[in-house]
Short mmCIF file of all heavy atoms in Angstrom, two decimals:
data_model
loop_
_atom_site.label_atom_id
_atom_site.label_comp_id
_atom_site.label_asym_id
_atom_site.label_seq_id
_atom_site.Cartn_x
_atom_site.Cartn_y
_atom_site.Cartn_z
N TRP C 472 -4.19 -2.42 1.84
CA TRP C 472 -5.02 -1.72 2.80
C TRP C 472 -4.41 -1.74 4.21
O TRP C 472 -4.22 -2.80 4.81
CB TRP C 472 -6.42 -2.33 2.86
CG TRP C 472 -7.28 -1.98 1.70
CD1 TRP C 472 -7.89 -0.80 1.45
CD2 TRP C 472 -7.63 -2.83 0.60
NE1 TRP C 472 -8.61 -0.84 0.28
CE2 TRP C 472 -8.46 -2.08 -0.26
CE3 TRP C 472 -7.32 -4.15 0.28
CZ2 TRP C 472 -8.99 -2.62 -1.43
CZ3 TRP C 472 -7.85 -4.68 -0.89
CH2 TRP C 472 -8.66 -3.91 -1.72
N GLN C 473 -4.09 -0.55 4.71
CA GLN C 473 -3.69 -0.33 6.10
C GLN C 473 -2.45 -1.12 6.50
O GLN C 473 -2.18 -1.30 7.69
CB GLN C 473 -4.86 -0.65 7.03
CG GLN C 473 -6.09 0.19 6.72
CD GLN C 473 -7.29 -0.18 7.55
OE1 GLN C 473 -7.23 -1.05 8.41
NE2 GLN C 473 -8.41 0.49 7.30
N ARG C 474 -1.67 -1.53 5.51
CA ARG C 474 -0.43 -2.29 5.78
C ARG C 474 0.77 -1.48 5.29
O ARG C 474 0.66 -0.61 4.44
CB ARG C 474 -0.46 -3.63 5.04
CG ARG C 474 -1.63 -4.53 5.40
CD ARG C 474 -1.45 -5.16 6.77
NE ARG C 474 -0.28 -6.03 6.79
CZ ARG C 474 -0.28 -7.30 6.38
NH1 ARG C 474 -1.38 -7.84 5.88
NH2 ARG C 474 0.81 -8.04 6.45
N TYR C 475 1.93 -1.79 5.84
CA TYR C 475 3.14 -1.14 5.37
C TYR C 475 3.38 -1.54 3.91
O TYR C 475 3.31 -2.73 3.57
CB TYR C 475 4.34 -1.55 6.22
CG TYR C 475 5.59 -0.78 5.92
CD1 TYR C 475 5.80 0.48 6.47
CD2 TYR C 475 6.56 -1.30 5.06
CE1 TYR C 475 6.95 1.20 6.18
CE2 TYR C 475 7.71 -0.59 4.77
CZ TYR C 475 7.89 0.67 5.34
OH TYR C 475 9.03 1.39 5.04
N PRO C 476 3.63 -0.59 3.02
CA PRO C 476 3.78 -0.92 1.60
C PRO C 476 4.98 -1.84 1.36
O PRO C 476 6.06 -1.63 1.90
CB PRO C 476 3.97 0.44 0.93
CG PRO C 476 4.43 1.35 2.03
CD PRO C 476 3.79 0.85 3.28
N LYS C 477 4.78 -2.85 0.53
CA LYS C 477 5.82 -3.85 0.27
C LYS C 477 6.66 -3.53 -0.96
O LYS C 477 7.63 -4.23 -1.25
CB LYS C 477 5.19 -5.23 0.13
CG LYS C 477 4.40 -5.68 1.37
CD LYS C 477 5.23 -5.59 2.65
CE LYS C 477 4.55 -6.26 3.83
NZ LYS C 477 3.31 -5.58 4.27
N GLY C 478 6.29 -2.49 -1.70
CA GLY C 478 7.09 -2.11 -2.85
C GLY C 478 8.48 -1.64 -2.42
O GLY C 478 8.65 -1.02 -1.37
N ASN C 479 9.50 -1.96 -3.25
CA ASN C 479 10.87 -1.51 -2.99
C ASN C 479 11.49 -1.03 -4.29
O ASN C 479 10.81 -0.91 -5.32
CB ASN C 479 11.70 -2.63 -2.36
CG ASN C 479 11.72 -3.89 -3.22
OD1 ASN C 479 11.44 -3.85 -4.41
ND2 ASN C 479 12.04 -5.03 -2.61
N ARG C 480 12.78 -0.72 -4.28
CA ARG C 480 13.42 -0.18 -5.48
C ARG C 480 13.33 -1.15 -6.66
O ARG C 480 13.08 -0.74 -7.79
CB ARG C 480 14.88 0.16 -5.18
CG ARG C 480 15.06 1.46 -4.43
CD ARG C 480 16.54 1.85 -4.33
NE ARG C 480 16.69 3.19 -3.81
CZ ARG C 480 16.65 3.51 -2.53
NH1 ARG C 480 16.44 2.56 -1.63
NH2 ARG C 480 16.80 4.76 -2.14
N GLU C 481 13.54 -2.43 -6.39
CA GLU C 481 13.47 -3.42 -7.47
C GLU C 481 12.06 -3.46 -8.06
O GLU C 481 11.90 -3.54 -9.29
CB GLU C 481 13.85 -4.80 -6.93
CG GLU C 481 13.83 -5.89 -7.99
CD GLU C 481 14.21 -7.25 -7.42
OE1 GLU C 481 14.46 -7.34 -6.20
OE2 GLU C 481 14.24 -8.22 -8.20
N PHE C 482 11.05 -3.40 -7.20
CA PHE C 482 9.67 -3.40 -7.67
C PHE C 482 9.39 -2.17 -8.52
O PHE C 482 8.79 -2.27 -9.60
CB PHE C 482 8.73 -3.44 -6.46
CG PHE C 482 7.27 -3.28 -6.80
CD1 PHE C 482 6.54 -4.35 -7.30
CD2 PHE C 482 6.64 -2.06 -6.61
CE1 PHE C 482 5.20 -4.20 -7.60
CE2 PHE C 482 5.30 -1.91 -6.92
CZ PHE C 482 4.58 -2.97 -7.41
N ILE C 483 9.84 -1.00 -8.06
CA ILE C 483 9.61 0.23 -8.81
C ILE C 483 10.32 0.18 -10.16
O ILE C 483 9.78 0.60 -11.19
CB ILE C 483 10.08 1.46 -8.00
CG1 ILE C 483 9.23 1.63 -6.73
CG2 ILE C 483 10.05 2.72 -8.85
CD1 ILE C 483 7.77 1.93 -6.99
N GLU C 484 11.53 -0.38 -10.18
CA GLU C 484 12.25 -0.52 -11.45
C GLU C 484 11.47 -1.40 -12.42
O GLU C 484 11.43 -1.13 -13.63
CB GLU C 484 13.64 -1.11 -11.20
CG GLU C 484 14.60 -0.13 -10.53
CD GLU C 484 15.90 -0.79 -10.11
OE1 GLU C 484 16.06 -2.01 -10.38
OE2 GLU C 484 16.75 -0.10 -9.51
N GLY C 485 10.80 -2.43 -11.89
CA GLY C 485 9.99 -3.29 -12.74
C GLY C 485 8.80 -2.54 -13.32
O GLY C 485 8.43 -2.74 -14.49
N LEU C 486 8.20 -1.66 -12.52
CA LEU C 486 7.09 -0.86 -13.01
C LEU C 486 7.57 0.13 -14.08
O LEU C 486 6.89 0.35 -15.10
CB LEU C 486 6.41 -0.10 -11.87
CG LEU C 486 5.76 -0.93 -10.76
CD1 LEU C 486 4.96 -0.02 -9.83
CD2 LEU C 486 4.86 -2.02 -11.32
N ARG C 487 8.73 0.74 -13.84
CA ARG C 487 9.26 1.69 -14.82
C ARG C 487 9.56 0.99 -16.14
O ARG C 487 9.35 1.55 -17.23
CB ARG C 487 10.52 2.38 -14.26
CG ARG C 487 10.33 3.21 -13.01
CD ARG C 487 9.35 4.35 -13.22
NE ARG C 487 9.82 5.34 -14.15
CZ ARG C 487 10.45 6.46 -13.81
NH1 ARG C 487 10.72 6.70 -12.53
NH2 ARG C 487 10.84 7.32 -14.71
N LYS C 488 10.06 -0.23 -16.05
CA LYS C 488 10.34 -1.02 -17.26
C LYS C 488 9.04 -1.30 -18.02
O LYS C 488 8.98 -1.19 -19.26
CB LYS C 488 11.03 -2.33 -16.88
CG LYS C 488 11.45 -3.21 -18.06
CD LYS C 488 12.27 -4.40 -17.56
CE LYS C 488 12.79 -5.23 -18.73
NZ LYS C 488 11.71 -6.02 -19.36
N ALA C 489 7.98 -1.66 -17.28
CA ALA C 489 6.68 -1.93 -17.91
C ALA C 489 6.12 -0.66 -18.55
O ALA C 489 5.52 -0.72 -19.63
CB ALA C 489 5.71 -2.48 -16.88
N GLU C 490 6.32 0.49 -17.90
CA GLU C 490 5.89 1.76 -18.48
C GLU C 490 6.58 1.99 -19.82
O GLU C 490 5.94 2.38 -20.81
CB GLU C 490 6.19 2.92 -17.53
CG GLU C 490 5.31 3.01 -16.32
CD GLU C 490 5.65 4.23 -15.47
OE1 GLU C 490 6.86 4.45 -15.21
OE2 GLU C 490 4.73 4.96 -15.08
#
Side-chain angles (χ1 to χ4, degrees):
W472 285 285
Q473 302 175 2
R474 302 285 297 276
Y475 188 82
K477 301 307 190 293
N479 56 19
R480 282 188 171 81
E481 181 180 2
F482 173 79
I483 295 296
E484 288 172 2
L486 298 188
R487 298 300 295 265
K488 183 173 185 287
E490 287 182 313

